[in-house]
Amino acid sequence: MTDLPSRVSINEEGPREGFQIEPGPIATADKVALIEALAATGLRHIQVASFVSPKLVPGWADAEAVVGGFAPREGVNYTALWFNAAGLERALAFRDRLSVTGSISLSASEAFSRRNLNRDRQGNIEAMRKQTAAHLAAGVPVQRLGIMAAFGCNFSGEVTPAQVFTAIEDGLSIAREAGVTLERLSLADTMGWANPVQVERLVGEVRSRWPELALTLHLHDTRGMAVANALAALRMGVASFDATVGGLGGCPFAAHPGAPGNIASEELAMLCEETGIETGIDLDALIEAGHLAERIVGHRLPSALLRGGSLRALRAKVAA
């Protein structure tokens, strides 16, 4: 049996995740132009920048200029990413235009945590305790738990459900100590190891253990499995996904140079549209935003839909 949701929320991360991995430099004005184009498609959640060290992620050295440069559209929720107190302070300067919320971010693979953040499991737990305290002290709500490398790791191999459960328990423990209640859990296929059977199994087990947590999936298309994995998750009732326009992005610490990035937003939107699931997105406008992203980065992006287009025009032609 399937449990397809009636509506899906697509959380657009193309500007943030895409521009952090492009060799660039990408002009600030071009980043702003893409954010504004995406906001005009019906997307309601757009992650627009990373407040991180420009030495580690030089593509976001202009984070303040980008966040201060776009024209906010009513009804669109703009967010940013940060990993420490310095990043939080930078984000708080834009509370008038960003939705500033905190999260607890852990990894199911200790090897990836070391590679990505230079922290072992205990070190990351301590860092999240401090970050959660800093968020609460600043009046920033903490409602989300994110688990990276939930489906496999390039540096340690298979990631078992038990490892994911341990990471979730670590995050819930941090939240309890801080006196906060988590509402959402994000499972990330950071390095593109997931397959549909694995997605169904892990989502099913997580939902049975923590039914109170709304699930989001963060899928990468490293090996061309993202749309199949999204369909498997949809059939399990998952109604929230991270995606990037054109398939921009990919983790800069995953050792995958040249590989496709995240699931393409327009491909996910079309999957939903063709299976009768509402997204509120103008698919053709989103495809045009994908073409704009290609022009900005100066190369072809991995999304097949940017080549094939939607079916709307073809259906209209046949019906005429």
Side-chain angles (χ1 to χ4, degrees):
M1 295 183 65
T2 63
D3 189 22
L4 288 174
S6 60
R7 187 177 182 88
V8 158
S9 175
I10 296 178
N11 312 308
E12 173 61 50
E13 296 189 348
R16 191 276 300 172
E17 182 141 356
F19 293 141
Q20 77 177 9
I21 203 168
E22 287 293 325
I26 306 295
T28 299
D30 286 337
K31 294 177 182 178
V32 168
L34 182 60
I35 291 166
E36 294 182 340
L38 290 166
T41 67
L43 285 162
R44 289 294 175 259
H45 303 276
I46 305 175
Q47 194 168 70
V48 297
S50 282
F51 291 112
V52 290
S53 167
K55 292 181 179 179
L56 296 176
V57 187
W60 276 113
D62 61 347
E64 278 83 358
V66 171
V67 176
F70 66 82
R73 179 178 285 258
E74 185 176 356
V76 179
N77 184 50
Y78 300 94
T79 63
L81 186 72
W82 58 88
F83 291 107
N84 53 34
L88 170 61
E89 185 176 351
R90 293 168 67 190
L92 288 172
F94 294 96
R95 265 185 144 164
D96 60 328
R97 51 182 43 231
L98 291 178
S99 175
V100 181
T101 59
S103 64
I104 296 170
S105 182
L106 300 171
S107 176
S109 164
E110 187 169 28
F112 179 70
S113 182
R114 290 178 182 275
R115 184 70 171 249
N116 187 38
L117 297 169
N118 196 31
R119 300 171 185 156
D120 61 11
R121 175 191 169 199
Q122 194 57 45
N124 208 21
I125 289 172
E126 291 302 321
M128 289 300 102
R129 283 174 175 153
K130 292 178 181 178
Q131 181 165 295
T132 300
H135 283 144
L136 297 178
V140 174
V142 178
Q143 300 172 331
R144 175 186 172 276
L145 169 61
I147 305 298
M148 297 178 288
F151 296 91
C153 176
N154 289 355
F155 311 108
S156 62
E158 304 292 340
V159 170
T160 66
Q163 289 173 272
V164 178
F165 302 156
T166 295
I168 294 172
E169 289 288 5
D170 286 342
L172 292 172
S173 178
I174 293 167
R176 283 192 298 269
E177 290 172 8
V180 300
T181 299
L182 298 177
E183 298 177 359
R184 179 165 296 280
L185 170 64
S186 174
L187 300 175
D189 184 25
T190 312
M191 288 163 277
W193 279 60
N195 64 65
V197 172
Q198 184 186 20
V199 168
E200 288 182 2
R201 182 174 66 248
L202 185 58
V203 167
E205 292 189 31
V206 167
R207 287 176 74 182
S208 68
R209 288 170 181 255
W210 296 282
E212 73 280 8
L213 294 175
L215 283 180
T216 294
L217 286 194
H218 181 99
L219 299 171
H220 284 230
D221 200 31
T222 311
R223 295 172 179 84
M225 297 288 281
V227 169
N229 291 334
L231 179 58
L234 287 169
R235 290 169 63 88
M236 296 295 290
V238 176
S240 176
F241 295 84
D242 299 333
T244 65
V245 64
L248 276 165
C251 177
F253 306 106
H256 272 141
N262 293 40
I263 186 170
S265 303
E266 61 277 8
E267 293 185 346
L268 178 57
M270 182 173 177
L271 173 64
C272 291
E273 186 173 287
E274 292 296 311
T275 50
I277 301 171
E278 292 290 333
T279 64
I281 292 171
D282 181 334
L283 181 56
D284 289 319
L286 187 54
I287 291 171
E288 284 306 309
H291 290 309
L292 172 61
E294 284 191 319
R295 293 194 293 272
I296 288 172
V297 299
H299 63 82
R300 181 169 167 159
L301 291 174
S303 169
L305 200 54
L306 296 187
R307 314 278 83 78
S310 76
L311 294 174
R312 291 178 185 174
L314 294 175
R315 287 190 173 116
K317 183 178 180 180
V318 170

